[in-house]
């Protein structure tokens, strides 16, 4: 499995941990990127997280990888996806209305996202994820989380 696929799948694992620890206030991704084994995700959030919350996000990431949870990919109409998961499938940057058929990444009770990229079959296949840097941008109300996949 390529490092890019593993690192991209890690985005979903990290995002799920962020929302799990910080709550629904952190549900909107504003940007995400993968370059080799390095990934970064930014989410809207209304305050700088504590060091304890960042440590808890890392702990939750580690648990989800160790769980080796099965990842589901659902191909369905936009209407059916919105009926099933509401706006949780979207990020801050909207999908064009012309897109009516979606591929949805689903990690039950963790993360759901309209995503047309390739993914690992389980979380364990991602390998180790280490959060390397966090930055809170108060002026934009955005939390940036960088990580490395090993």
């Amino acid at each position: 499995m390529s490092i890019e696929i593993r690192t991209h799948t890690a985005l979903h694992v990290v995002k799920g941990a962020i929302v799990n620890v910080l709550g629904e206030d952190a549900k909107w991704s504003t940007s995400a990127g993968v370059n080799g084994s390095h990934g970064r995700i930014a989410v809207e959030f209304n305050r700088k997280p504590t060091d304890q919350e960042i440590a808890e996000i890392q702990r939750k990431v580690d648990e989800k990888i160790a769980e080796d949870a099965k990842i589901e990919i659902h191909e369905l109409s936009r209407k059916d996806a919105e009926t099933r998961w509401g706006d949780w499938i979207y990020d801050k940057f909207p999908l064009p209305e012309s897109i009516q058929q979606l591929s949805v990444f689903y990690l039950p009770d963790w993360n759901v996202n309209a995503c047309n990229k390739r993914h690992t079959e389980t979380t364990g296949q991602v390998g180790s994820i280490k959060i390397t840097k966090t930055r809170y941008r108060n002026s934009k109300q955005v939390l940036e989380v960088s990580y490395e996949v090993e």
Side-chain angles (χ1 to χ4, degrees):
M1 184 95 27
S2 80
I3 188 63
E4 288 80 13
I5 292 171
R6 293 172 44 228
T7 305
H8 174 78
T9 305
L11 278 171
H12 297 283
V13 175
V14 172
K15 171 75 182 288
I18 290 169
V19 174
N20 189 284
V21 173
L22 301 179
E24 287 188 28
D25 286 344
K27 95 179 211 183
W28 294 110
S29 300
T30 60
S31 69
V34 167
N35 184 2
S37 64
H38 176 75
R40 185 183 57 80
I41 186 162
V43 296
E44 277 189 349
F45 196 55
N46 56 9
R47 64 177 174 79
K48 181 179 180 178
T50 66
D51 291 344
Q52 292 81 9
E53 287 170 323
I54 297 301
E56 182 67 4
I57 291 169
Q58 179 66 67
R59 191 182 72 72
K60 295 278 188 183
V61 164
D62 295 344
E63 283 180 358
K64 189 53 72 175
I65 293 298
E67 182 183 329
D68 197 27
K70 182 172 176 6
I71 292 166
E72 300 174 17
I73 304 298
H74 297 267
E75 305 286 339
L76 64 171
S77 72
R78 184 179 191 138
K79 182 179 181 209
D80 288 347
E82 288 175 351
T83 298
R84 184 167 178 183
W85 293 294
D87 65 4
W88 283 92
I89 62 173
Y90 298 119
D91 298 310
K92 192 67 176 178
F93 34 95
L95 289 176
E97 282 300 319
S98 61
I99 298 175
Q100 291 299 307
Q101 191 67 20
L102 301 179
S103 179
V104 178
F105 173 100
Y106 183 53
L107 188 52
D109 300 319
W110 195 259
N111 180 256
V112 61
N113 189 250
C115 185
N116 63 0
K117 304 282 192 228
R118 290 189 56 213
H119 302 91
T120 62
E121 294 178 7
T122 68
T123 57
Q125 291 175 337
V126 170
S128 174
I129 303 170
K130 295 299 174 208
I131 294 173
T132 55
K133 180 180 177 186
T134 59
R135 179 170 78 158
Y136 182 71
R137 304 176 98 190
N138 193 46
S139 63
K140 294 184 176 187
Q141 299 274 289
V142 168
L143 170 65
E144 297 173 351
V145 178
S146 297
Y147 62 89
E148 290 286 333
V149 170
E150 297 172 356

